[in-house]
Amino acid sequence: MDLERLCGSLLPLQSGIVPRGTRAFVFDSIFQVFLALGTLVGLVVIGYMLYNAYKYRWGSGNGDKPDDNPLVLGELPTGSGGGRKLATSFFLSMIIVVSLISWTYLTLLYVEDGPPGDDALEIEVEGYQFGWRFTYPNGHTTDTLRVPEDRSVRLTLTSADVFHNFGVPELRVKSDAMPGQETTTWFIADETGTYTANCYELCGAGHSYMTADVVVLSAEEYESWYEQTEQTESGSANQTENASA
């Protein structure tokens, strides 16, 4: 059993520790944990430094060595506890670092694999100089990405010309779009509204203008819009058949 499968089998045991939900929630949780831990470590280090600065201040008498017993070259100072402080700090630091790395890895495994369930909305994304083209399961193509609220959306990305990178900062989604290859990513939008997708790969003179609207609709609004696109696609197909006849 490889490491990824082993960690995946442990995920149910970590359901109360490893965050689950939207990508925004997961990455915000990682940020908050690192921020809290970094703040705690900073307070401990600065507090210990200030404590020692006060304890061994000039004139306190702490740490003074008698003049008749000076250290000689090569002699180690005594009274430090035989390195117990160093060993303790090293052991605690090792536990914190290993735990943090393991927790982050398990969290990113969830981001990499995507949320469970087979009801994800599959949308094809094609980047081109200088815009984005979105194709829905019914064949409808548009330059505006419309998705339902609180539903998994899986994107399959490619490029028609050069390297691009599709990203929506508010939804914490970002993936490469490469010519001749396909990459996948996912997201869940938990609030309705309009977001902006940008290209994060320098792709030419119009790179800064390569944007697209990402419109998050309620489930009812999305179903209504999607039904209209199906009718439009059916009408276009009928017109094509009549013209051919």
Side-chain angles (χ1 to χ4, degrees):
M1 181 180 292
D2 58 21
L3 180 60
E4 183 171 349
R5 290 183 179 178
L6 176 61
C7 292
S9 65
L10 293 177
L11 286 179
L13 301 178
Q14 303 288 340
S15 59
I17 300 176
V18 179
R20 294 288 185 267
T22 66
R23 294 174 67 102
F25 174 76
V26 171
F27 283 111
D28 286 349
S29 299
I30 294 176
F31 172 77
Q32 291 169 6
V33 168
F34 273 79
L35 178 63
L37 187 59
T39 301
L40 177 61
V41 171
L43 290 175
V44 170
V45 171
I46 295 175
Y48 187 69
M49 179 190 68
L50 294 176
Y51 165 76
N52 283 281
Y54 177 78
K55 180 179 180 180
Y56 298 105
R57 69 189 184 280
W58 178 263
S60 65
N62 295 322
D64 293 343
K65 296 189 66 62
D67 296 334
D68 57 350
N69 189 25
L71 290 175
V72 298
L73 183 64
E75 181 183 359
L76 295 177
T78 59
S80 61
R84 285 196 298 270
K85 290 182 180 180
L86 178 62
T88 301
S89 62
F90 177 80
F91 181 72
L92 292 177
S93 300
M94 180 183 66
I95 292 177
I96 293 174
V97 171
V98 171
S99 300
L100 189 61
I101 291 175
S102 302
W103 177 81
T104 305
Y105 181 70
L106 290 173
T107 303
L108 293 179
L109 275 181
Y110 168 74
V111 175
E112 183 71 20
D113 294 338
D118 299 328
D119 63 338
L121 174 61
E122 302 282 347
I123 300 177
E124 297 179 1
V125 183
E126 184 181 46
Y128 61 91
Q129 292 177 314
F130 297 95
W132 298 101
R133 186 179 296 113
F134 307 100
T135 304
Y136 288 80
N138 64 356
H140 177 71
T141 300
T142 177
D143 57 0
T144 298
L145 179 60
R146 291 179 174 84
V147 298
E149 180 186 18
D150 293 328
R151 181 179 173 185
S152 301
V153 178
R154 189 173 299 278
L155 305 178
T156 301
L157 299 101
T158 189
S159 171
D161 36 51
V162 299
F163 279 72
H164 302 285
N165 186 285
F166 179 85
V168 186
E170 294 86 353
L171 302 176
R172 308 295 192 272
V173 59
K174 189 170 182 288
S175 184
D176 288 327
M178 299 176 287
Q181 299 185 40
E182 290 185 347
T183 59
T184 60
T185 188
W186 68 275
F187 67 90
I188 301 175
D190 58 357
E191 291 185 5
T192 60
T194 302
Y195 307 91
T196 301
N198 299 286
C199 178
Y200 290 92
E201 185 81 27
L202 184 60
C203 55
H207 164 71
S208 59
Y209 303 103
M210 189 171 171
T211 62
D213 288 336
V214 180
V215 181
V216 180
L217 306 171
S218 65
E220 296 77 11
E221 291 176 330
Y222 176 78
E223 290 298 331
S224 175
W225 171 82
Y226 194 71
E227 289 177 359
Q228 293 177 5
T229 64
E230 289 181 334
Q231 295 173 2
T232 301
E233 293 301 323
S234 299
S236 298
N238 292 334
Q239 290 179 2
T240 302
E241 292 177 358
N242 294 333
S244 300

